Amino acid sequence: MSPYIVGALVPLLVALLYQNSKNTKKRGVPVDVGGEPGYAIRNSRFPILLETAWEGVSTLAQLFELACKEHADKYLLGTRTLISKDTQVSADGRSFEKLHLGEYEWLTYGEVFEKVCNFASGLAHLGHRSEERVAIFADTRAEWFMALQGSFRRNISVVTIYASLGEEALCYSLNETEVTTVICGNKELKKLVEVSGQLDTVKRVICMDDEIPSSASLEVQSGRWRVVSMADVEKLGRENPVDAVLPLAADIAVIMYTSGSTGLPKGVMMTHGNVLAVVSSVRTIVPGLESNDVYLAYLPLAHILEIAAENLVAGVGSAIGYGSPLTLTDTSNKIKRGTKGDATALRPTVMAAVPAILDRVREGVRKKVDEKGGITKKLFDFAYARRISAINGSWFGARGLEMLLWNFLVFRKVRAILGGRIRFLLSGGAPLSGDTQRFINICLGAPIGQGYGLTETCAGGTFSEFDDTSVGRVGNPVPCSYIKLIDWPEGGYLISDSPMPRGEIVIGGPSVTVGYFKNEAKSKEVYKVDERGMRWFYTGDIGQFHADGCLEIIDRKKDIVKLQHGEYVSLGKVEAALIVSPYVDNMMLHADPFHSYCVALVVAAQPALEEWASKRGIAFASFAELCEKEETIKEVQASLVKAAKAARLEKFEIPAKIKLLSDPWTPETGLVTAALKLKREAIRKAFSEELSKLYES
Ligand SMILES: *[C@@H]1O[C@H](CO)[C@@H](O)[C@H](O)[C@H]1NC(C)=O
Ligand SMILES: *[C@@H]1O[C@H](CO)[C@@H](O)[C@H](O)[C@H]1NC(C)=O
Ligand SMILES: *[C@@H]1O[C@H](CO)[C@@H](O)[C@H](O)[C@H]1NC(C)=O
């Protein structure tokens, strides 16, 4: 054989072998690090931590300017026009707004850059100095992104506030950061006016909408605030240009307020370098991300995931179309029947989502299929099973032509819900259930990248690679993060554990933020710098590393409680085991060091319990009454014991007493987060009486 042919064959063989060994592909490899001893893993493709994916770029302002020059004539920001707004009144007297929205209207990179420069000059002309902070308090929209970039061009730090944080947190964070200019929409401006008495440092308000609410005029008249529209600020800047004051990598770009699990919100200080490291990492994760992608933006920009995603999309020359959670699809609540939702109008190729939204998509599709029944349901279930077995590694599953057939016959319609062109989904904020991950994978035919990171690490942490189809894990370290596990002997988690090293997750690298604003004590507790100068953040989450270098989150340090006699109870683990009882809709286990047993608050599953009651011939006037009955509680408790035995729980892990609750826990009640995670403190507070009664009797 000629050496040339051999030369050509060897790489081919290697490639084939490599492909076959995909399941054992090392995605993360051990790395030698400083600081507290532990078991550390880095991304296998990046021996050196990634700080920037663009040569010579070290800030978000630089990245944006570079992209605007390179892609001047391409579309950057798209917004839908409002054609009409109807108010419908439902049978129970509540009114709903229905929107008829038009096609997307676009601004090019060149146009956006000009507006951003004008806005920056206008801010300066209004008297906002670089060392003062602005706050952006608005829904996700094009003006948000432009206000952010405009502030960056003046080296101004931007304070972001979750709209859902509430009044007290809003006042607290604006006051703590001594914000002088608030940039908001007219809806948020109305809220600001209501609390204006508590906002001592605010001098100016820039309203993203031209129409300024009349209630704001009082503040203007009293001379407290200057209220101007964003368009006027741009005009001011156009007529009075001011040179940019560009920030450095170590300057603070964003102070992001997030809810502390207890009490007041905390402001996480993120530098340009922190955010850029994450933007750069995500660039390496989304396969083939380039200037032809279209991104649908609708998650809150007060979340780091969305800020990073939009800066990335704008950094590579792609387009961002804005939408909202309530107008996302043709059947979304606020969309007028028969008109298009954001996804069908935009036809995005890339989207970000939180698990709660994907769960809703999945439920929606399932419900529709079940309603149709008959052949539709049979076909759907069959196609789904065929694809699952392929993904699960069976050679007999639906691949190739058969996969195309199912995609055409069955899944095309599901894909069409999101416009039909999605090729990559980013999911973050909370763990995604394995079922939902599979479901979206199969129905959308697009991989989901699932991430694990925290605001404190600027979302840096781990990310599942697009070809990793395993479920229940959060992937390998991103290129800008080292992930270290350290022993937590009290909780029984050690890096010497077998078959996998386990321990508290500590994240190191250039995305680890500077700390909490004006809160050195708390910062010192959870941020540490090692002898080699590397910053580490102690997450309080417990994880284990699989052999291929991928992380799985298994527990939370805070959620492990020591009982009176020294046994440790992992609340999350026990809840996950007990929630399989058919009578349980949701539950929270409670344990403390003052008692030798635990108790639980159980939200009853109404249909299952009512069915049981009617079978038993138990009469009840209301579901609430049924939940109070001794025999009902007994029945539920017996089912918990059964579930506990099946999961091999210890006796002390089984709640000795329970309180049955008839009202579900929804995000609106404030008892669970938007991603439906338990808010333990809030639940404990709301049911403190019930809890103490459980211990009394
Ligand atoms: C940016 O602003 C910060 C805070 O006001 C300041 O410490 C820093 O020196 C500024 N950077 C530049 C390049 O002027
Ligand atoms: C605002 O912050 C100052 C310190 O910066 C503090 O003294 C004051 O009590 C705060 N006011 C409110 C309403 O929180
Ligand atoms: C996939 O394979 C795993 C292990 O081989 C098995 O436990 C699981 O039930 C399979 N899932 C499906 C949906 O076939």
Side-chain angles (χ1 to χ4, degrees):
M1 225 189 295
S2 108
Y4 296 106
I5 295 182
V6 174
L9 274 180
V10 167
L12 190 70
L13 277 176
V14 170
L16 277 175
L17 280 175
Y18 182 67
Q19 184 132 50
N20 276 341
S21 65
K22 207 158 115 187
N23 290 341
T24 52
K25 178 174 162 187
K26 288 263 184 224
R27 299 173 190 274
V29 294
V31 58
D32 168 49
V33 297
E36 215 169 316
Y39 178 81
I41 293 281
R42 67 162 168 86
N43 187 295
S44 62
R45 293 184 296 147
F46 291 81
I48 293 171
L49 286 170
L50 182 68
E51 289 183 19
T52 175
W54 291 268
E55 214 180 310
V57 169
S58 64
T59 66
L60 298 174
Q62 271 178 315
L63 175 62
F64 180 63
E65 183 165 352
L66 189 76
C68 287
K69 300 232 154 108
E70 202 172 313
H71 305 283
D73 297 326
K74 294 200 64 178
Y75 284 160
L76 171 53
L77 304 181
T79 304
R80 300 184 76 185
T81 48
L82 177 67
I83 294 177
S84 67
K85 193 194 272 186
D86 299 339
T87 308
Q88 295 177 354
V89 180
S90 72
D92 58 357
R94 282 188 300 172
S95 63
F96 294 95
E97 207 171 58
K98 295 281 178 187
L99 305 179
H100 182 189
L101 298 170
E103 291 301 320
Y104 275 87
E105 292 193 348
W106 293 93
L107 291 169
T108 64
Y109 276 80
E111 287 162 347
V112 173
F113 190 63
E114 199 184 318
K115 283 166 89 69
V116 162
C117 292
N118 289 339
F119 181 76
S121 297
L123 258 183
H125 199 75
L126 277 182
H128 187 102
R129 290 175 296 135
S130 284
E131 60 274 20
E132 296 173 339
R133 283 168 282 268
V134 309
I136 306 182
F137 178 46
D139 289 336
T140 294
R141 53 194 281 185
E143 289 78 9
W144 209 116
F145 184 78
M146 291 193 276
L148 182 80
Q149 291 294 347
S151 305
F152 286 169
R153 287 190 71 75
R154 299 285 309 157
N155 182 26
I156 294 168
S157 307
V158 173
V159 176
T160 70
I161 301 149
Y162 255 75
S164 60
L165 273 188
E167 226 167 62
E168 192 189 342
L170 173 71
C171 296
Y172 178 83
S173 26
L174 290 179
N175 182 50
E176 187 172 68
T177 46
E178 296 161 60
V179 162
T180 55
T181 304
V182 181
I183 308 170
C184 59
N186 58 17
K187 188 180 74 189
E188 293 83 17
L189 178 47
K190 282 180 199 150
K191 272 193 208 160
L192 277 184
V193 169
E194 280 164 26
V195 295
S196 64
Q198 297 169 60
L199 305 178
D200 296 337
T201 60
V202 175
K203 295 181 198 154
R204 307 163 208 100
V205 179
I206 299 175
C207 184
M208 294 175 177
D209 301 287
D210 291 336
E211 167 202 333
I212 292 170
S214 55
S215 59
S217 62
L218 220 62
E219 304 298 324
V220 180
Q221 276 162 20
S222 67
R224 278 171 47 85
W225 290 355
R226 180 165 176 194
V227 181
V228 275
S229 73
M230 195 154 168
D232 283 340
V233 177
E234 279 171 38
K235 185 158 167 278
L236 209 59
R238 194 160 51 238
E239 288 160 1
N240 306 278
V242 177
D243 280 343
V245 183
L246 291 176
L248 299 176
D251 288 329
I252 306 292
V254 176
I255 303 176
M256 184 168 282
Y257 275 85
T258 63
S259 51
S261 48
T262 52
L264 294 163
K266 296 174 294 196
V268 176
M269 296 186 283
M270 303 173 171
T271 66
H272 280 270
N274 291 151
V275 187
L276 186 65
V278 164
V279 169
S280 299
S281 290
V282 180
R283 189 186 182 191
T284 70
I285 287 160
V286 183
L289 185 67
E290 43 176 336
S291 61
N292 294 324
D293 275 301
V294 179
Y295 175 78
L296 175 53
Y298 67 97
L299 291 178
L301 266 160
H303 194 300
I304 181 59
L305 185 70
E306 186 63 19
I307 288 198
E310 291 189 27
N311 275 281
L312 171 61
V313 173
V316 296
S318 282
I320 304 174
Y322 287 91
S324 79
L326 292 177
T327 57
L328 211 53
T329 66
D330 296 356
T331 53
S332 288
N333 275 343
K334 268 185 132 178
I335 288 290
K336 186 175 163 187
R337 289 293 152 259
T339 69
K340 278 184 180 170
D342 305 326
T344 36
L346 184 67
R347 308 194 59 229
T349 60
V350 180
M351 260 178 85
V354 291
I357 287 186
L358 295 177
D359 286 341
R360 229 174 286 160
V361 170
R362 172 178 161 222
E363 275 161 34
V365 171
R366 265 267 151 236
K367 219 167 95 192
K368 250 192 181 161
V369 169
D370 288 345
E371 269 168 17
K372 283 231 169 102
I375 186 83
T376 310
K377 181 167 154 48
K378 284 218 175 77
L379 201 62
F380 184 91
D381 289 343
F382 185 70
Y384 192 79
R386 297 283 300 148
R387 284 293 298 137
I388 273 226
S389 62
I391 286 181
N392 221 3
S394 154
W395 279 107
F396 303 106
R399 281 200 181 73
L401 272 182
E402 191 193 336
M403 179 174 102
L404 292 181
L405 177 76
W406 293 132
N407 281 352
F408 180 78
L409 281 181
V410 180
F411 302 126
R412 188 171 44 120
K413 291 182 197 124
V414 181
R415 289 186 62 127
I417 296 173
L418 294 178
R421 291 203 302 171
I422 293 287
R423 66 174 195 89
F424 196 81
L425 258 167
L426 289 152
S427 170
L432 185 64
S433 80
D435 285 345
T436 299
Q437 184 180 340
R438 281 252 154 86
F439 191 87
I440 301 282
N441 257 184
I442 288 174
C443 292
L444 291 184
I448 299 186
Q450 190 184 175
Y452 163 73
L454 300 98
T455 307
E456 286 86 344
T457 61
C458 217
T462 64
F463 212 93
S464 62
E465 290 178 341
F466 72 95
D467 59 347
D468 181 359
T469 49
S470 66
V471 294
R473 315 188 307 169
V474 292
N476 53 333
V478 294
C480 70
S481 302
Y482 288 157
I483 307 287
K484 179 158 75 171
L485 299 180
I486 58 170
D487 284 344
W488 188 44
E490 297 91 335
Y493 293 114
L494 302 174
I495 59 170
S496 55
D497 283 345
S498 103
M500 286 182 238
R502 304 190 298 176
E504 181 183 358
I505 301 166
V506 186
I507 301 178
S511 80
V512 176
T513 56
V514 186
Y516 301 113
F517 189 76
K518 286 191 187 163
N519 195 342
E520 200 142 323
K522 181 74 195 161
S523 301
K524 271 204 177 125
E525 242 174 66
V526 284
Y527 291 87
K528 288 190 182 123
V529 182
D530 72 20
E531 69 283 0
R532 303 185 195 176
M534 167 94 56
R535 285 185 76 73
W536 295 95
F537 178 73
Y538 285 65
T539 66
D541 290 327
I542 304 293
Q544 63 185 14
F545 264 118
H546 289 250
D548 61 353
C550 287
L551 184 70
E552 182 180 351
I553 312 291
I554 50 175
D555 217 329
R556 249 199 90 64
K557 222 168 148 178
K558 257 200 304 204
D559 296 346
I560 298 178
V561 185
K562 197 179 187 177
L563 290 176
Q564 205 170 26
H565 299 319
E567 304 99 336
Y568 282 91
V569 179
S570 159
L571 304 177
K573 182 189 87 179
V574 174
E575 284 157 0
L578 299 185
I579 214 161
V580 302
S581 152
Y583 298 132
V584 179
D585 181 53
N586 206 342
M587 69 175 294
M588 189 186 85
L589 192 73
H590 178 88
D592 63 40
F594 312 108
H595 300 92
S596 57
Y597 57 92
C598 30
V599 299
L601 298 166
V602 176
V603 181
Q606 189 162 357
L609 260 190
E610 288 188 344
E611 198 187 312
W612 165 80
S614 72
K615 262 190 203 150
R616 284 293 180 87
I618 298 169
F620 54 94
S622 66
F623 184 55
E625 191 200 301
L626 180 62
C627 289
E628 292 290 332
K629 286 186 187 287
E630 190 95 11
E631 49 199 317
T632 317
I633 295 171
K634 247 191 191 148
E635 171 72 11
V636 174
Q637 204 152 12
S639 84
L640 292 183
V641 170
K642 206 171 134 203
K645 285 208 172 123
R648 295 166 185 269
L649 294 186
E650 301 287 340
K651 189 155 186 299
F652 63 83
E653 292 176 305
I654 306 172
K657 296 214 180 101
I658 64 169
K659 167 79 192 171
L660 260 192
L661 305 167
S662 53
D663 290 329
W665 292 343
T666 60
E668 291 74 40
T669 60
L671 300 175
V672 292
T673 68
L676 303 179
K677 279 198 277 190
L678 296 180
K679 286 187 173 172
R680 294 188 187 278
E681 278 310 313
I683 297 175
R684 262 175 222 140
K685 223 177 186 178
F687 297 101
S688 59
E689 231 170 83
E690 284 84 352
L691 282 172
S692 43
K693 264 197 205 131
L694 285 176
Y695 279 118
E696 270 165 23
S697 47

